[in-house]
Amino acid sequence: MQEAATPTMDGATSDSAPRIRPLDPLLVNQIAAGEVVERPASVVKELVENAIDAGATRIAIDLASGGIDLVRVTDDGAGIAPADLPLAVGPHATSKIAHATDLERIATMGFRGEALASIASVSRLTIRSRRPEDDGASEISVEGGAAHPVKPTSGPVGTSVHVRNLFFNTPARRKFLRTAQTEQTRCVDAVRSLAAANPRIGFRVSADERTLLDLPPDQSPRARALEILGRELDSRFLEAHADQFDDARGIALWGLVGLPDIARATNRAQHIFLNGRPIRDKTIQHALREAYRGLIEPSRHPTAVLMLETAPDAVDVNVHPTKWEVRFRDTSLLHSVVLRAVRDALRAADLTTTGLLRPLPGTLRGSEAIQPSGSIDAARFVEYFRRDVPASTGGRLDYDRLRAALDPIRSESHHAATDEPPAHADQSPPDASHVPGFLSPRPARRILQVHKSYIVTEDEHGVLIVDQHALHERVMFEVLLERVTAGNLESQRLLTPAIVQATESHLAALDSLAPLLTRLGIQAEPIGPTSIAIHAFPTLLFDRKVDPVEFLAELLDHAETDAFNPDSEEALRDVLDMMSCKAAVKAGDTLGDHELANLLDLRDQIERSSNCPHGRPTSIRLTIDQLDKLFHRT
Ligand code: ADP
Ligand code: MG
């Protein structure tokens, strides 16, 4: 048997022989196989997809030597007519599409009609099949592309495809395979993935007589999705959904998204499905990332299963042989649907990191704050949402009240800095407890500041431990973001300008930053070749004793880096990050009772209070259940 990659060069030197000639059909299929059949897991994927397309309710997969020696997929689906068996293993033969227009609305997993032919060209393949109306089963065998005649045999309704000795005739391809154990794991992963998208179908995988996976038919979507995420993580997932189907090219979405504390180091725990088909898609990944912005550290990746449904003509699945990639007609709609659904799910939930290092499953009492399992009803969903947003502000932060509430933190904790910024409009700090309607009239909670860094208190679930700097940073960030979104930040004029020593590139950066600085309430201009004068600075930063000179110098350094695009939303958030970090109380600051109480109250008022703007947790909760476990009471 010739190696597929070795061209036949005989006669190439003779002038009379044609140099261009059609490829041998086996070679054509082997080349196609190079795209479709990379390893046993690809065989598993193709065969299981065929079984799904055939309407199977149960699919069994048997493997030997990680699928290298044998992959057998047996289904109870519609079967293949005896006369169709030779066609099924031939190239470009499919029952799924007939006309070019069909390509625009593909609803099946397969359609290219090349999988069986490709697999047959690089293995020993046997198909046994029987339709419900047939008296018996029929069988066809193909070895290295050569088909034997169809012969009658016995067998149940459905189809069983045996693929033996993969790549027996293409040793070079075989060399790329990993150990049997690795290939087996990939085969099981391929089944898990397809199973997640088809919770009504039962799947069983066995290898060398051992059952590796056994999923009963008719599981709930959540239970199935947890098969790929890890069942033990059940309590760490929220349900996300969106239904934008009203519009003709609509998108519906259902998914499980992980709490920030189970984010991973890679994006391998993101499983995206479109119309039941596992896909990889940059737009969706980006939207997912966006939704978690500020909730996880930038180096981490959210964990999620997202199932999207679109009309078949809203997407082109015919852009890649393995069908991993698809092309959406409306990527911006896609982005906004995913972003909104995931963001809403995160907003509605209590994202407080729970427990010590590793979260214990199911530990929130009555899992009240975590979305219940099973399907979610919209009214309940909306209710969750409402509960987390202070009713008094109609869903928006009331800046003035927040500012008032922050003021005591300023007045008590910050002793006059030596380089006191120039005086600004004189106002006596309002006492937050006098601001009507802001502080909830709940009984005072007991609060303890620990080592001038952490705040410990009690809530309805157990003990809450707060990092004072991280939480205050988040509060400052949300206040600033809300304010900037509503208009430019309020600023104070300096009586005498503050002078920043600047380099030439600082001056250039200042120029490009102009619109951003205006939004932030910073007024600065070059005076001479090496200095910049600051004339006005945001009130909120003044209040928090942030030094204008230090701040602007740092901002200009930051703006010099290549990645910084001053006109992007990202840059704005970056700068707000810097501001909040500088303005927030620090570890080591002593806080008075009033400040502690205010800070904890603000925690309940703002969004994303579970994590600081860099994604680190602001709070950790030890639930009563966990404490009981730790003390061996249960
Ligand atoms: P495609 O799935 O793209 O149509 P394949 O080469 O995978 O191409 O399969 C060729 C044809 O064989 C399918 O169109 C289908 O008619 C038939 N077929 C393959 N597997 C099965 C199965 N398990 N049950 C019923 N029909 C099948
Ligand atoms: Mg197929």
Side-chain angles (χ1 to χ4, degrees):
M1 184 63 230
Q2 275 282 327
E3 174 60 43
T6 312
T8 47
M9 295 296 286
D10 49 307
T13 49
S14 147
D15 281 346
S16 55
R19 290 177 187 219
I20 301 178
R21 63 190 99 108
L23 285 172
D24 164 65
L26 173 62
L27 204 48
V28 171
N29 287 331
Q30 287 181 336
I31 292 167
E35 293 186 302
V36 181
V37 191
E38 207 187 330
R39 51 185 1 110
S42 353
V43 174
V44 169
K45 174 178 185 283
E46 293 296 337
L47 299 185
V48 171
E49 285 183 352
N50 281 346
I52 294 170
D53 282 345
T57 64
R58 284 177 188 271
I59 302 174
I61 299 98
D62 297 286
L63 306 169
S65 304
I68 304 167
D69 289 352
L70 172 73
V71 173
R72 180 172 56 217
V73 175
T74 307
D75 67 58
D76 59 357
I80 307 172
D84 282 348
L85 280 174
L87 294 171
V89 297
H92 311 299
T94 176
S95 57
K96 298 166 195 173
I97 62 170
H99 304 285
T101 49
D102 293 345
L103 273 179
E104 283 166 24
R105 40 170 185 279
I106 291 163
T108 50
M109 312 272 306
F111 59 89
R112 301 170 73 108
E114 64 188 6
L116 288 180
S118 300
I119 295 167
S121 72
V122 292
S123 70
R124 299 188 169 96
L125 173 124
T126 303
I127 305 178
R128 183 178 298 175
S129 192
R130 177 176 167 184
R131 297 174 303 165
E133 61 267 42
D134 296 335
D135 295 332
S138 316
E139 185 180 283
I140 190 168
S141 296
V142 193
E143 194 169 318
H148 296 285
V150 175
K151 60 179 190 205
T153 180
S154 61
V157 169
T159 303
S160 179
V161 182
H162 305 222
V163 176
R164 288 196 185 80
N165 311 119
L166 186 64
F167 301 141
F168 78 97
N169 53 353
T170 52
R173 308 286 310 285
R174 215 185 150 105
K175 282 201 199 97
F176 281 99
L177 297 180
R178 311 286 288 276
T179 62
Q181 183 56 49
T182 305
E183 296 300 340
Q184 177 175 302
T185 305
R186 294 189 190 203
C187 291
V188 178
D189 284 347
V191 176
R192 268 212 185 89
S193 173
L194 286 163
N198 294 279
R200 293 230 292 276
I201 303 176
F203 290 85
R204 194 167 49 73
V205 183
S206 26
D208 312 308
E209 313 288 294
R210 274 194 325 123
T211 302
L212 303 178
L213 186 70
D214 194 359
L215 306 175
D218 290 318
Q219 278 191 295
S220 73
R222 184 181 178 105
R224 258 313 157 78
L226 284 165
E227 290 293 339
I228 46 179
L229 295 167
R231 259 177 284 180
E232 69 287 358
L233 292 175
D234 192 4
S235 68
R236 314 308 294 157
F237 281 95
L238 308 169
E239 289 193 18
H241 31 140
D243 189 353
Q244 305 264 313
F245 244 105
D246 350 335
D247 142 13
R249 290 179 309 171
I251 296 175
L253 178 152
W254 176 88
L256 294 182
V257 295
L259 295 178
D261 59 359
I262 59 162
R264 305 266 185 96
T266 71
N267 65 5
R268 254 174 292 162
Q270 290 172 10
H271 306 270
I272 302 167
F273 297 85
L274 173 72
N275 298 337
R277 181 193 300 281
I279 59 161
R280 299 195 189 105
D281 187 84
K282 291 252 182 312
T283 304
I284 298 172
Q285 282 169 342
H286 184 266
L288 193 57
R289 243 198 126 57
E290 276 296 298
Y292 279 82
R293 185 205 279 276
L295 290 175
I296 59 178
E297 289 163 58
S299 61
R300 316 277 301 166
H301 299 263
T303 301
V305 162
L306 297 178
M307 308 275 177
L308 292 125
E309 298 287 332
T310 63
D313 64 355
V315 62
D316 186 356
V317 292
N318 187 27
V319 293
H320 199 266
T322 55
K323 301 166 254 142
W324 274 106
E325 278 159 42
V326 299
R327 199 179 290 137
F328 287 90
R329 301 241 193 284
D330 189 345
T331 48
S332 69
L333 174 71
L334 176 72
H335 193 270
S336 73
V337 167
V338 174
L339 176 60
R340 196 162 344 133
V342 177
R343 201 179 259 174
D344 284 353
L346 292 168
R347 268 189 192 153
D350 180 345
L351 301 179
T352 308
T353 300
T354 303
L356 304 163
L357 297 181
R358 189 170 307 168
L360 304 172
T363 38
L364 276 189
R365 272 255 156 103
S367 62
E368 210 204 291
I370 292 202
Q371 301 288 351
S373 56
S375 72
I376 229 166
D377 75 80
R380 184 110 188 247
F381 190 69
V382 169
E383 190 190 306
Y384 271 112
F385 185 71
R386 291 235 177 85
R387 201 183 49 189
D388 263 34
V389 176
S392 59
T393 63
R396 295 180 72 80
L397 281 174
D398 184 325
Y399 171 75
D400 293 319
R401 284 180 182 172
L402 275 177
R403 212 189 129 209
L406 284 166
D407 272 349
I409 294 179
R410 165 192 72 162
S411 57
E412 284 180 43
S413 77
H414 276 257
H415 317 292
T418 42
D419 53 343
E420 174 94 20
H424 54 278
D426 182 50
Q427 12 164 256
S428 47
D431 185 333
S433 57
H434 297 151
V435 179
F438 177 63
L439 290 180
S440 36
R442 78 164 68 113
R445 46 181 153 191
R446 279 161 299 173
I447 304 171
L448 177 68
Q449 191 189 22
V450 179
H451 286 244
K452 297 184 188 170
S453 300
Y454 298 102
I455 308 171
V456 178
T457 190
E458 177 190 28
D459 73 0
E460 67 269 40
H461 302 295
V463 178
L464 195 66
I465 307 167
V466 171
D467 176 329
Q468 65 185 41
H469 171 68
L471 176 59
H472 197 210
E473 208 178 355
R474 169 56 80 185
V475 168
M476 294 304 301
F477 181 87
E478 292 300 323
V479 172
L480 289 165
L481 180 65
E482 181 69 22
R483 196 58 177 172
V484 151
T485 312
N488 296 341
L489 282 190
E490 182 188 329
S491 66
Q492 299 274 330
R493 276 202 82 73
L494 278 65
L495 293 180
T496 48
I499 308 298
V500 184
Q501 292 306 314
T503 62
E504 214 168 291
S505 60
H506 280 149
L507 292 175
L510 181 70
D511 201 39
S512 68
L513 279 175
L516 183 62
L517 292 179
T518 307
R519 290 185 76 181
L520 298 173
I522 300 176
Q523 199 191 324
E525 59 172 15
I527 47 162
T530 60
S531 3
I532 294 170
I534 306 174
H535 297 293
F537 199 60
T539 310
L540 208 86
L541 297 196
F542 258 144
D543 290 353
R544 300 289 314 149
K545 305 277 188 273
V546 176
D547 179 0
V549 172
E550 206 178 284
F551 180 81
L552 190 67
E554 198 173 307
L555 177 54
L556 291 172
D557 281 343
H558 193 62
E560 278 182 313
T561 56
D562 290 344
F564 192 87
N565 166 12
D567 302 321
S568 66
E569 271 307 292
E570 220 149 308
L572 175 66
R573 281 170 182 265
D574 262 13
V575 178
L576 295 183
D577 255 22
M578 277 174 62
M579 287 184 159
S580 348
C581 185
K582 292 207 172 305
V585 298
K586 305 288 180 300
D589 287 349
T590 307
L591 302 182
D593 291 348
H594 211 77
E595 299 166 322
L596 293 169
N598 275 346
L599 197 50
L600 290 182
D601 278 325
L602 286 167
R603 180 178 178 276
D604 301 333
Q605 308 279 325
I606 58 164
E607 281 184 15
R608 295 177 281 243
S609 66
S610 60
N611 298 74
C612 81
H614 314 286
R616 287 190 298 273
T618 62
S619 332
I620 289 176
R621 179 184 287 123
L622 272 173
T623 65
I624 286 297
D625 289 358
Q626 286 172 325
L627 288 171
D628 287 349
K629 279 203 182 91
L630 289 168
F631 286 104
H632 304 285
R633 288 176 145 270
T634 49

